Amino acid sequence: MKKLALFIMVLFSHLLFSQKNKKEYDYIKDYYQLVYEAQYNYEIGNDTLAYSLLKKAEINCPLLNQENIREVNILAQLSMKLNKEKETFKYIELLLKKYGYSFFYFEGDSIYDSLKNKSRWKKLKKNSKKIFEKYKTTVNFELRNEIKLITARDQEVRLRGIIDWKEVDSIDRIHEDRLKVIIKEFGYPDDNLIGSFAIGSFDEIPPHISTLIMHIKAIDYWKPIFLDLIRRGKAPANIYGNLVDSLQRQTGMFYYGIYQNITSDRIIDFDKIDERRIAVGLSTWDLREKMNEIMKKKFGW
């Protein structure tokens, strides 16, 4: 009996110690800005600096693979360029196992040609289908399909020849109430929860709630929730800015400048724009402008 009591006390102490020492990551403070700078330097060909910035971000916080950046994918390519074979395989495996990338994606990229006769490459290729099937077991397909239906409905009522704005408002309220339940129960429905683009067909638009966020009305309810999710790396870093600025459209003036065609004269208190943007996980205004120019040249936006 004494031994059992002692065992319970030791176990309880261990659990208590584990909880106290559980690492809390602050992505706003220690991650996002490094990744934004890395992405910019990667795009302009400063590979060594981009790699260094991403490695520093990785030391600070577990890597994300954000939709418009794909930093793990960038690290795989940079590691290859810098002749870091082991690290290249490490990031390829992470993309396969955690993000559902197809092995065909890497086979089709000539940057990895020198790896294709390596035994580790051949082993990954051989096991790639099993890896993908295992990845799919982590996906909540029921929630994925529900979000596809919700987002389709959100757009359907807005794309009619004659829009019934009372119906739009009613649909938005229903969807917002459902989002409250989803996020409370499951967390933010990101790629880790409902699967990445790799799950669907090539012509399928991945189900994201980013459009739904632009139609949220209960801004004071969502602000602290979104900021906490962003800080912990559990949701896209742009959702807080999107939430606030989307409601500013009727005024024509904005706090965060989330829309690409917004110029500085349409920003409220522009002198403090960087302070506001950094505080919610966005890049600086200057870096935003530089990346917009790069994307215009790269994709013709």
Side-chain angles (χ1 to χ4, degrees):
M1 195 69 184
K2 289 183 179 179
K3 288 183 178 179
L4 178 61
L6 180 61
F7 172 77
I8 292 172
M9 287 178 62
V10 170
L11 180 61
F12 178 76
S13 299
H14 175 73
L15 291 172
L16 194 62
F17 179 81
S18 297
Q19 288 297 317
K20 286 181 178 179
N21 288 274
K22 190 175 180 180
K23 177 80 171 178
E24 283 291 333
Y25 298 102
D26 189 337
Y27 282 79
I28 290 177
K29 179 184 175 184
D30 300 322
Y31 185 86
Y32 296 122
Q33 299 309 316
L34 291 167
V35 172
Y36 297 141
E37 287 287 347
Q39 181 192 26
Y40 172 69
N41 280 282
Y42 169 75
E43 292 292 345
I44 65 174
N46 290 341
D47 292 341
T48 302
L49 179 55
Y51 173 83
S52 177
L53 288 165
L54 285 175
K55 293 300 290 185
K56 186 174 181 181
E58 183 181 20
I59 290 170
N60 291 344
C61 302
L63 285 171
L64 306 176
N65 198 47
Q66 300 172 87
E67 182 181 1
N68 294 321
I69 300 175
R70 303 299 182 194
E71 53 263 47
V72 180
N73 190 44
I74 291 176
L75 266 172
Q77 295 187 11
L78 289 175
S79 297
M80 192 67 206
K81 287 183 179 181
L82 298 173
N83 299 312
K84 299 177 183 292
E85 183 179 305
K86 288 184 179 180
E87 288 203 11
T88 303
F89 276 116
K90 167 188 167 182
Y91 296 122
I92 289 176
E93 288 187 20
L94 182 59
L95 291 167
L96 291 171
K97 294 176 180 179
K98 186 174 181 180
Y99 297 103
Y101 275 53
S102 166
F103 194 77
F104 178 77
Y105 173 84
F106 302 103
E107 280 200 306
D109 193 333
S110 60
I111 194 173
Y112 301 112
D113 281 352
S114 64
L115 298 181
K116 294 176 183 178
N117 61 352
K118 303 285 185 178
S119 60
R120 191 170 176 181
W121 181 276
K122 293 175 182 178
K123 184 177 179 180
L124 275 177
K125 182 176 181 178
K126 180 181 178 181
N127 294 329
S128 59
K129 288 184 179 179
K130 289 182 179 179
I131 292 171
F132 185 63
E133 290 302 315
K134 186 175 181 180
Y135 164 74
K136 287 200 296 183
T137 65
T138 68
V139 175
N140 188 328
F141 281 98
E142 184 178 351
L143 184 58
R144 178 186 177 92
N145 290 332
E146 180 185 358
I147 289 174
K148 284 169 65 177
L149 291 173
I150 289 174
T151 53
R153 180 64 171 157
D154 173 90
Q155 291 300 293
E156 188 268 330
V157 295
R158 288 176 161 82
L159 296 176
R160 296 173 182 170
I162 299 175
I163 301 175
D164 182 342
W165 289 106
K166 287 186 177 180
E167 181 184 14
V168 169
D169 184 62
S170 175
I171 292 295
D172 286 349
R173 290 178 185 278
I174 292 170
H175 290 167
E176 184 171 352
D177 286 342
R178 180 57 184 148
L179 284 182
K180 289 178 181 179
V181 175
I182 288 172
I183 291 178
K184 186 176 182 179
E185 183 175 353
F186 300 104
Y188 189 91
D190 59 6
D191 287 356
N192 291 327
L193 178 60
I194 60 171
S196 67
F197 60 89
I199 293 291
S201 59
F202 286 109
D203 59 346
E204 179 187 73
I205 299 174
H208 294 299
I209 65 168
S210 53
T211 302
L212 301 178
I213 288 172
M214 309 292 273
H215 303 146
I216 280 175
K217 299 295 189 297
I219 186 170
D220 290 333
Y221 171 86
W222 289 104
K223 272 183 173 182
I225 293 173
F226 282 176
L227 191 60
D228 178 63
L229 289 168
I230 292 167
R231 188 180 306 282
R232 294 187 293 116
K234 301 297 184 181
N238 62 357
I239 59 172
Y240 189 100
N242 288 357
L243 171 72
V244 175
D245 271 12
S246 63
L247 288 179
Q248 290 293 125
R249 282 174 295 184
Q250 57 189 342
T251 71
M253 297 295 290
F254 303 89
Y255 288 100
Y256 296 100
I258 64 167
Y259 299 104
Q260 287 190 351
N261 61 344
I262 299 301
T263 50
S264 60
D265 60 304
R266 296 178 65 188
I267 299 294
I268 298 167
D269 197 6
F270 183 73
D271 288 345
K272 295 184 178 179
I273 183 66
D274 283 346
E275 181 181 333
R276 289 197 302 274
R277 284 177 64 88
I278 291 171
V280 298
L282 298 172
S283 71
T284 63
W285 178 266
D286 181 60
L287 199 53
R288 165 201 182 274
E289 294 288 272
K290 289 178 179 178
M291 285 304 303
N292 281 346
E293 286 302 312
I294 287 173
M295 295 300 111
K296 284 178 185 177
K297 292 177 182 178
K298 193 172 182 178
F299 300 109
W301 292 353

